[in-house]
Amino acid sequence: MKISSVNSSLLNGTETMQKAREAGEGASFSDLVKRIRSSASFQSASVASEKVVEDGRLNGDFASGFANTFTNESDKKALPVGAAANGAGVHAKSETIDRTSKLYEKSLELESYIVKIMVSSMRSTVTKTSLFGGDSFASQMYEDMMYDEYATQLTKNAGFGLADQVYLQLNVQA
């Protein structure tokens, strides 16, 4: 009987010490938060979400996009390229494209999505090796990110002309 009562009192003492330690850590953390909130640099720093997040992109998104891709003055009156230049656009022979506009940026995003579908179907034909992590969730995620970037770069540099066709079609309707 005496051994069990000693064990239970030791367990109670250990639990009490652990609770006291947690309470002390909680109090010191609360004090730290109070000091940070009361500091002058914390109160003067106001960060609005529109400053942190670029329009249409998540904070921490490191993939390249189409914002500010075309910034030259000559990009405001550019001629169509690719399929749009071959007469597949609405008025491709006489129309010019404002590549600095939001409409053209969104047209590039649509073209990139279609190119991503094309690249993903080609990707499914490639045999996988376990050299770079096999089929783990992380390797699949980074491989998806890599192919998203491939699609973006193909859209920017290949000159398919789908974005030009979409722009010409939507610009006539506007």
Side-chain angles (χ1 to χ4, degrees):
M1 278 298 230
K2 290 185 176 184
I3 294 176
S4 64
S5 65
V6 170
N7 284 339
S8 66
S9 66
L10 282 174
L11 285 175
N12 288 338
T14 306
E15 288 176 4
T16 305
M17 286 176 47
Q18 186 175 0
K19 287 180 183 177
R21 185 180 307 127
E22 290 173 358
E25 289 173 357
S28 64
F29 180 74
S30 297
D31 290 341
L32 176 64
V33 170
K34 287 178 186 175
R35 280 186 286 155
I36 290 173
R37 286 187 177 162
S38 66
S39 70
S41 62
F42 181 78
Q43 291 181 1
S44 66
S46 66
V47 179
S49 60
E50 58 265 5
K51 293 179 184 177
V52 175
V53 180
E54 184 181 327
D55 185 31
R57 295 181 55 107
L58 298 174
N59 190 12
D61 188 4
F62 298 110
S64 63
F66 298 104
N68 300 323
T69 300
F70 299 102
T71 56
N72 290 337
E73 194 62 35
S74 62
D75 290 330
K76 291 187 178 190
K77 294 190 187 245
L79 295 174
V81 297
N86 295 331
V90 177
H91 302 286
K93 304 286 186 211
S94 61
E95 293 286 329
T96 59
I97 296 172
D98 181 8
R99 290 198 170 119
T100 61
S101 69
K102 274 288 197 197
L103 177 61
Y104 191 73
E105 183 180 328
K106 297 303 176 187
S107 300
L108 282 172
E109 288 178 12
L110 176 65
E111 181 179 339
S112 177
Y113 180 71
I114 293 171
V115 168
K116 182 180 185 303
I117 292 170
M118 179 183 68
V119 168
S120 294
S121 65
M122 289 189 287
R123 171 183 167 196
S124 66
T125 65
V126 176
T127 56
K128 307 249 185 203
T129 66
S130 62
L131 183 63
F132 297 113
D135 282 338
S136 70
F137 177 73
S139 67
Q140 290 174 1
M141 182 180 66
Y142 285 114
E143 188 178 359
D144 286 344
M145 290 168 54
M146 180 178 70
Y147 278 95
D148 286 346
E149 192 63 27
Y150 284 164
T152 302
Q153 293 303 318
L154 273 170
T155 301
K156 285 181 181 179
N157 299 315
F160 293 120
L162 180 62
D164 292 1
Q165 286 178 322
V166 170
Y167 177 85
L168 289 171
Q169 183 71 38
L170 292 176
N171 199 29
V172 166
Q173 292 177 357

